[in-house]
Amino acid sequence: MKDFGRRNFLGAIIAGSALTMVGCKGAVGGGDAGNGVLTLGADAGASNQFPENFNANGGGDGGPGIGFFYETLFRVSTRNGGKLEPALAEKVVYSNGGATATYTLRKGVTWSDGKPFTADDVAFTYNFVFGTPGPDQFIKEPVKALDPLTVQVNYTSPNYQQDTNMSMYYPVYPKHIYGQQADYGKYVDKKPVGTGPGVLKSFSGQQVQITLREDYWGGKAKGVKEVHIIPTGTVGNIQSSISSGKVDWADGGGAGVLTQFLGMNKDNNYEYFPDGSSRGVMFGCNYAPLNDPAVRRALRDSVDLTAATKAVGIGYTVPSITGLNMELYKDALLPEYAKPLTPNVEQAKADLAAAGFTVVGGNLTKAGKSYPLRLFVNLGQATDIVVAPMIIDQWKKNLGIDVAYMPTPDTVFQAKIHDYEMMVWTTNLNGSAYNAYQGYSWSNMSEKAQKNGAGNQGLWKMPKAANDALIELSSVPMEQTAQINKLLQVIQAAVANDAPYMSYMSGGSGEMWTTKNWKGFPTMADAEFNYRSSIGGYNNVSLTTVNLTKA
């Protein structure tokens, strides 16, 4: 896969793995449900102006509501980690030991300009994402259309996992438009023509208006005629606007949303949808004394994380010691890890003593050498800012260790990742249990991989058996769950013993909405839904919108 695609893939995962916090400034308002208008709030960044661009694969920052226009071949179920549901494709069949993937596309799909959606569109998009073919590349030959509804990908090695990545981050674009551009990766798409339910009606930096298609392959919307997207404003502003019915739905929430927002109006709703990722403290395994697993285990095992969940109040859960969400991956977890990470302070102290460490003057000390520790936190992540000081306080209380709190601006934080002995970061990726660990592969420890943001920022070299299991996972068909779980359990045991990180929260997205104007939003409590009301990303926003009915 191209370096561009790889960076985009990991960047998207990392950005989506922590709760989206609403924080940009600006007024919010609107609300015209009587005329079939659904009003959404979306983050407009520091400028408070939406970017006018709907090319998610290049051309700079993307505008809001891309998921109303562009779609992927499959979507990831919110009920079963890694399970793919049909979208633009009906099915995929693997052959050649998993190195060949053949897709059958859905019949009768058209682009919003009326032209048919075909295999040529998929081959065009996938060839851009995967890059130049070759013996040592991601694919051994160009992706090809076998007929108008059949596409074939020939990988250079077995790869049953790539469809999950493509389903989350790489929609299909129209070849008859994007193929005419001199550089698809730099094309600024101001007039999106997609397979999704949306047609762009008007665009301004403060409002995007989208009409819904009558001929959408997923069915005509049950009640919504238009979608208006406006900047979210501050946390308090957007919550008040939703409570009054001027805004119907927004990503995010802010600390305390469970008590503050829900108490504003009886029609207010909030849901935290886990996506399989997790966030926590990443230990720099190349820094002494954190190069000793005993120290990492002691730091991990001496903290009670349940207090932080209550303090933040956004509805996330504490993952297991493996970093895996216990709901999405309940069938994959070893029995001893099928519970939230819980503290064991006495064991933490015993681990330090057995490794020859004492605490002197607040610092870990061994053989007369003192090791001061720091925890770096990105100021752009509101949840981390709340939780990190609580973790530091418990290290002091339970182990006597002083850890310096280092809040750092986003641009500085991102540029100096490898200078940190500890940082709050994405510890497990989303989409599937394989994705949760793929960043820790030995291949991602290389200088080139690190430069391209390919994961394993803590430079943990997992045991060979675990790395072998991770490699083998990519060649196991998704339906062979017993073998997948067996391999995952090898990795789980390595994570539990080596403690490369301490996951404090199950990643996902928080969603706020009101049923004052519209009803039918999915919730985790309702087993009828295997999608989530997430405005960002693909497929979920369309499914939610077309199925809403007037309250």
Side-chain angles (χ1 to χ4, degrees):
M1 181 183 290
K2 283 186 176 181
D3 286 345
F4 173 88
R6 182 67 172 169
R7 288 196 301 274
N8 204 37
F9 161 46
L10 285 176
I13 287 179
I14 290 169
S17 63
L19 176 71
T20 301
M21 290 296 182
V22 180
C24 59
K25 296 180 180 179
V28 292
D32 191 13
N35 291 318
V37 176
L38 174 72
T39 304
L40 310 183
D43 186 7
S47 68
N48 199 41
Q49 294 286 319
F50 291 134
E52 190 174 6
N53 177 30
F54 295 93
N55 179 2
N57 286 345
D61 293 335
I66 289 179
F68 283 107
F69 308 114
Y70 297 116
E71 300 175 302
T72 57
L73 294 189
F74 301 95
R75 63 180 178 85
V76 180
S77 169
T78 56
R79 295 287 170 186
N80 188 332
K83 186 175 187 297
L84 298 179
E85 300 287 348
L88 290 177
E90 293 181 345
K91 65 179 181 178
V92 56
V93 175
Y94 292 94
S95 57
N96 190 25
T100 297
T102 304
Y103 302 89
T104 301
L105 304 183
R106 188 180 295 273
K107 298 177 182 178
V109 178
T110 61
W111 297 99
S112 56
D113 63 0
K115 295 188 181 299
F117 163 75
T118 72
D120 284 337
D121 299 305
V122 180
F124 165 76
T125 302
Y126 276 37
N127 276 318
F128 172 80
V129 174
F130 292 155
T132 305
D136 299 321
Q137 303 300 315
F138 199 69
I139 51 175
K140 70 176 185 179
E141 63 181 13
V143 179
K144 54 191 175 184
L146 302 184
D147 61 48
L149 293 176
T150 310
V151 182
Q152 189 172 89
V153 179
N154 284 294
Y155 297 107
T156 51
S157 60
N159 195 338
Y160 289 96
Q161 298 290 336
Q162 187 59 31
D163 287 317
T164 303
N165 302 339
M166 300 301 290
S167 298
M168 292 188 293
Y169 304 113
Y170 295 103
V172 180
Y173 285 89
K175 181 182 178 181
H176 66 279
I177 294 176
Y178 275 66
Q180 304 305 310
Q181 310 309 316
D183 189 338
Y184 166 19
K186 294 181 180 179
Y187 171 51
V188 176
D189 182 2
K190 295 184 178 183
K191 297 180 180 180
V193 173
T195 56
V199 176
L200 185 63
K201 178 181 179 182
S202 66
F203 183 98
S204 75
Q206 289 285 294
Q207 186 176 93
V208 176
Q209 295 188 357
I210 299 167
T211 57
L212 297 190
R213 296 170 58 180
E214 298 274 335
D215 61 344
Y216 175 50
W217 66 264
K220 181 182 176 181
K222 295 178 179 178
V224 178
K225 297 179 180 179
E226 285 192 14
V227 176
H228 294 179
I229 307 176
I230 58 179
T232 50
T234 64
V235 172
N237 223 3
I238 189 64
Q239 290 184 0
S240 296
S241 294
I242 293 176
S243 298
S244 66
K246 293 180 180 179
V247 172
D248 298 302
W249 169 21
D251 291 338
V257 64
L258 288 172
T259 53
Q260 297 169 6
F261 174 65
L262 294 182
M264 288 181 178
N265 192 292
K266 65 180 179 62
D267 297 315
N268 286 1
N269 292 267
Y270 172 81
E271 184 92 8
Y272 188 84
F273 293 90
D275 61 11
S277 68
S278 64
R279 194 163 183 85
V281 176
M282 182 83 74
F283 300 125
C285 298
N286 56 328
Y287 282 92
L290 296 168
N291 55 356
D292 189 329
V295 174
R296 303 195 297 263
R297 287 196 302 271
L299 291 170
R300 179 195 64 192
D301 297 341
S302 58
V303 178
D304 182 359
L305 298 170
T306 57
T309 66
K310 296 175 182 177
V312 175
I314 58 174
Y316 72 78
T317 58
V318 177
S320 77
I321 198 172
T322 68
L324 295 180
N325 178 277
M326 292 174 296
E327 176 65 25
L328 294 180
Y329 300 121
K330 57 182 180 292
D331 295 332
L333 285 165
L334 283 164
E336 59 266 38
Y337 306 142
K339 59 183 180 181
L341 177 61
T342 52
N344 189 337
V345 177
E346 293 307 311
Q347 182 60 52
K349 292 178 178 178
D351 274 342
L352 288 178
F357 286 94
T358 58
V359 180
V360 179
N363 292 338
L364 282 170
T365 304
K366 182 176 182 179
K369 184 165 183 175
S370 181
Y371 298 95
L373 293 174
R374 303 171 298 173
L375 177 61
F376 287 81
V377 182
N378 189 334
L379 280 171
Q381 295 288 345
T383 307
D384 299 342
I385 296 299
V386 175
V387 176
M390 300 180 70
I391 293 173
I392 289 172
D393 181 67
Q394 290 196 54
W395 282 332
K396 175 64 174 178
K397 176 183 176 181
N398 295 332
L399 299 179
I401 299 174
D402 288 319
V403 175
Y405 175 50
M406 305 293 292
T408 309
D410 177 69
T411 53
V412 177
F413 184 93
Q414 299 280 356
K416 298 175 71 65
I417 287 170
H418 298 104
D419 295 340
Y420 307 147
E421 56 264 37
M422 292 192 292
M423 62 178 173
V424 181
W425 193 253
T426 299
T427 54
N428 299 87
L429 304 180
N430 61 334
S432 70
Y434 169 78
N435 280 2
Y437 295 118
Q438 65 92 14
Y440 296 101
S441 70
W442 287 4
S443 63
N444 283 344
M445 296 184 71
S446 70
E447 184 177 346
K448 179 181 178 182
Q450 289 294 304
K451 184 178 179 181
N452 290 336
N456 205 355
Q457 282 81 8
L459 296 177
W460 172 51
K461 188 171 184 179
M462 63 168 62
K464 183 178 185 301
N467 191 64
D468 289 346
L470 185 62
I471 294 172
E472 187 177 345
L473 269 174
S474 64
S475 62
V476 179
M478 298 293 282
E479 64 270 15
Q480 293 183 15
T481 54
Q483 178 63 11
I484 289 174
N485 291 347
K486 180 180 178 181
L487 294 169
L488 282 172
Q489 288 164 4
V490 174
I491 303 172
Q492 291 173 41
V495 169
N497 184 68
D498 274 16
Y501 52 78
M502 177 187 73
S503 297
Y504 79 76
M505 70 174 285
S506 290
S509 66
E511 305 296 329
M512 301 180 294
W513 69 89
T514 176
T515 52
K516 186 184 294 290
N517 301 316
W518 299 97
K519 63 182 181 179
F521 290 91
T523 66
M524 293 297 290
D526 193 335
E528 176 186 352
F529 300 108
N530 63 4
Y531 59 92
R532 60 182 178 176
S533 57
S534 177
I535 296 172
Y538 304 100
N539 307 303
N540 290 307
V541 66
S542 295
L543 276 168
T544 301
T545 300
V546 299
N547 286 304
L548 293 178
T549 57
K550 290 185 178 180

